[in-house]
């Protein structure tokens, strides 16, 4: 990888980092200090304290000692972009990669934090900027939690929702994702409501089954895009390992266990997946599921080609027409607002390379 001036921002890679780690690990790291010190430290981290110097309930010598032994954060915000709609995109340097995380504002001013789970993505969807980057590595749970802490600080007020819809495929990083979700939702740590968290997946059947068993109350969205298997594998190449019948079976199992409505996301690509027959196949796929279809008019990504031809946004008439076609087939349909486009922070526009 090319040298980037922001990479390895601290030059302190030998020091343990602390943000996003559970109490048991902090107790270990802080030894021989007593456990209650670890608890105090955890509270500081969850409240957003950024430096040891601010932890004035620790003596000066203790603060200095911690400073010598540890680094609070493993990542650093290197750029903050604010859209006129109030959305904020953060570019975050890890010790070897750059990632992005976003706050999206909706019409009623709720704030949604959008988190990344991988640097790059191995699925390679042709319409997605992250997919065009290729795959670098899975993020550690602490790197996922730190995004939330950075966003919370940037937002300046309460975050209402979390969507795991940033860079990468969350269910290909299930172990670290799970640890991050525990930190985000546990009463002892960030105490974020599970019902206000949505995980979006391109459809990793085994991962969906894992959520059914281990992630009660967390919401699930499937990036269906199209229910035409042949078209889907051309648009989302690495999904071939999880063909649609297997994904559907996993969703049925999920709903048997969780009894929660799932979202089927369809990024609408003008003239590609909005034909009459696309509405038919989506309706067949949705049969037997408690689902709502969320249409996302494609957000432009430079040089996005599908089999040699440039992709284009659907027209307003195409989006409305496709929504109507789905409704006629008995489906619940919503159309997603275009938020965060001014900072290239909208769906599918994350990937630091061109920013
Ligand atoms: N990898 C996961 C989560 C990140 S992608 C997944 O695919 O679900 C989050 C959502 O953004 C997906 O629904 C995807 O279809 C959508 N998306 C990707 N590129 C897009 C683009 N250029 N415009 C609009 N939506 C896009
Ligand atoms: Fe990966 Fe999701 Fe982008 Fe596809 S849409 S390349 S799965 S991040």
């Amino acid at each position: 990888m090319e040298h980037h001036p922001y990479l390895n921002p601290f030059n302190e890679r030998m020091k343990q980092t602390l943000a996003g780690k559970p109490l048991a690990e902090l107790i270990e790291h802080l030894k021989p200090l007593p456990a209650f010190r670890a608890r105090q430290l955890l509270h500081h981290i969850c409240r957003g304290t950024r430096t040891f110097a601010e932890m004035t309930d620790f003596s000066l010598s203790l603060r200095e000692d911690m400073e010598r032994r540890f680094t609070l954060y493993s990542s650093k915000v290197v750029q903050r972009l604010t859209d006129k709609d109030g959305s904020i995109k953060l570019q975050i340097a890890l010790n070897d990669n750059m990632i992005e995380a976003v706050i999206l504002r909706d019409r009623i001013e709720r704030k949604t934090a959008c988190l990344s789970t991988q640097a790059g993505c191995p699925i390679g969807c042709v319409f997605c900027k992250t997919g065009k980057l290729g795959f670098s590595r899975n993020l550690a749970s602490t790197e996922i939690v730190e995004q939330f802490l950075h966003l919370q600080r940037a937002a300046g007020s309460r975050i209402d929702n979390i969507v795991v819809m940033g860079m990468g495929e969350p269910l290909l990083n299930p172990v670290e994702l799970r640890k991050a979700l525990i930190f985000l939702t546990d009463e002892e740590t960030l105490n974020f409501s599970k019902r206000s968290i949505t995980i979006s997946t391109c459809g990793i059947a085994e991962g969906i089954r894992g959520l059914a068993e281990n992630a009660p109350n967390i919401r699930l969205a499937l990036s269906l895009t199209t229910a035409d298997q042949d078209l889907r594998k051309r648009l989302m190449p690495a999904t071939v390992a999880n063909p649609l019948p297997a994904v559907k079976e996993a969703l049925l199992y999920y709903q048997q266990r969780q009894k929660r409505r799932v979202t089927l996301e369809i990024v609408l690509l003008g003239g590609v997946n909005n034909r009459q027959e696309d509405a038919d196949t989506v309706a067949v796929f949705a049969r037997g599921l408690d689902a709502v279809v969320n249409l996302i008019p494609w957000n432009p990504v430079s040089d996005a080609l599908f089999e040699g031809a440039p992709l284009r946004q659907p027209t307003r008439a195409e989006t409305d027409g496709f929504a109507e076609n789905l409704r006629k087939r008995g489906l619940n349909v919503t159309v997603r607002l275009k938020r965060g486009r001014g900072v290239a922070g909208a769906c599918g526009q994350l990937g630091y390379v061109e920013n």
Side-chain angles (χ1 to χ4, degrees):
M1 179 188 275
E2 216 177 298
H3 174 73
H4 191 287
Y6 295 121
L7 297 184
N8 194 8
F10 304 104
N11 224 4
E12 291 181 359
R13 293 168 84 171
M14 302 313 289
K15 286 193 196 173
Q16 285 287 359
T17 71
L18 303 173
K21 291 195 172 156
L23 183 62
E25 275 181 53
L26 294 184
I27 291 174
E28 278 305 307
H29 289 329
L30 259 57
K31 273 182 180 164
L33 292 173
F36 81 91
R37 289 296 184 200
R39 217 166 272 122
Q40 272 177 306
L41 179 70
L42 184 63
H43 287 152
H44 274 299
I45 289 167
C46 294
R47 260 187 277 133
T49 308
R50 308 291 288 196
T51 61
F52 293 111
E54 289 165 75
M55 301 181 185
T56 48
D57 49 349
F58 293 157
S59 70
L60 183 61
S61 66
L62 190 50
R63 277 179 266 158
E64 285 171 350
D65 178 48
M66 302 242 270
E67 189 88 57
R68 262 190 307 275
R69 290 169 64 197
F70 306 111
T71 305
L72 263 180
Y73 279 69
S74 69
S75 66
K76 184 175 179 152
V77 175
V78 292
Q79 202 177 1
R80 173 191 165 136
L81 301 162
T82 307
D83 194 352
K84 52 184 179 310
D85 70 10
S87 299
I88 301 169
K89 177 162 87 169
L90 300 182
Q91 296 185 328
I92 298 171
L94 311 179
N95 57 24
D96 60 348
N97 266 285
M98 294 280 279
I99 55 165
E100 296 183 336
V102 187
I103 297 269
L104 296 162
R105 296 287 287 269
D106 64 17
R107 232 181 333 206
I108 52 172
E109 300 296 295
R110 271 179 322 206
K111 292 180 181 175
T112 298
C114 176
L115 306 182
S116 296
T117 51
Q118 298 183 315
C121 182
I123 305 296
C125 301
V126 299
F127 47 82
C128 171
K129 185 166 164 187
T130 310
K132 293 164 74 68
L133 290 178
F135 177 61
S136 182
R137 68 168 171 86
N138 276 338
L139 301 189
S141 60
T142 47
E143 292 169 325
I144 300 171
V145 171
E146 284 183 33
Q147 291 171 58
F148 180 80
L149 294 170
H150 288 311
L151 288 171
Q152 202 169 36
R153 182 178 169 86
S157 65
R158 231 179 79 85
I159 290 175
D160 303 284
N161 298 292
I162 294 177
V163 292
V164 186
M165 284 189 195
M167 300 168 76
E169 170 45 51
L171 299 187
L172 289 180
N173 186 10
V175 174
E176 297 301 310
L177 173 67
R178 188 166 151 70
K179 285 199 257 173
L181 289 173
I182 291 171
F183 195 93
L184 290 165
T185 58
D186 203 274
E187 270 176 40
E188 287 284 298
T189 43
L190 291 167
N191 197 21
F192 201 89
S193 154
K194 291 195 178 89
R195 288 182 176 76
S196 307
I197 302 181
T198 304
I199 295 174
S200 174
T201 176
C202 68
I204 309 296
E206 196 188 326
I208 294 171
R209 259 186 243 108
L211 291 179
E213 284 158 13
N214 303 316
N217 295 323
I218 288 189
R219 292 175 187 276
L220 178 63
L222 170 72
S223 298
L224 181 61
T225 315
T226 171
D228 170 338
Q229 182 63 63
D230 176 62
L231 177 60
R232 194 166 195 265
K233 92 171 173 239
R234 290 186 281 142
L235 290 170
M236 306 170 75
T239 59
V240 282
N242 287 272
L244 284 172
V247 176
K248 169 114 183 230
E249 212 175 293
L251 287 178
L252 288 167
Y253 177 70
Y254 175 87
Q255 290 202 314
Q256 216 183 341
R257 303 277 301 226
Q258 298 271 346
K259 316 248 182 307
R260 300 199 76 82
R261 171 168 285 191
V262 296
T263 303
L264 303 176
E265 297 165 284
I266 296 183
V267 46
L268 263 194
L269 310 164
V272 174
N273 62 349
N274 61 333
R275 305 157 300 172
Q276 291 285 344
E277 59 262 43
D278 293 309
D280 291 334
T281 48
V282 169
V284 171
F285 183 86
R287 206 172 285 157
L289 293 172
D290 177 12
V292 58
V293 177
N294 189 205
L295 297 182
I296 316 169
W298 181 63
N299 293 310
V301 169
S302 53
D303 304 324
L305 294 178
F306 176 50
E307 297 176 346
L311 287 170
R312 68 166 174 85
Q313 293 173 250
T315 62
R316 183 71 213 224
E318 283 174 319
T319 302
D320 291 346
F322 193 65
E324 204 36 51
N325 275 333
L326 292 173
R327 288 190 186 111
K328 272 194 232 147
R329 289 162 176 78
L331 293 166
N332 284 316
V333 184
T334 58
V335 178
R336 188 175 301 176
L337 286 168
K338 294 169 186 164
R339 311 303 289 185
R341 273 197 182 191
V343 289
C347 286
Q349 294 186 314
L350 301 188
Y352 72 92
V353 163
E354 295 162 40
N355 292 303

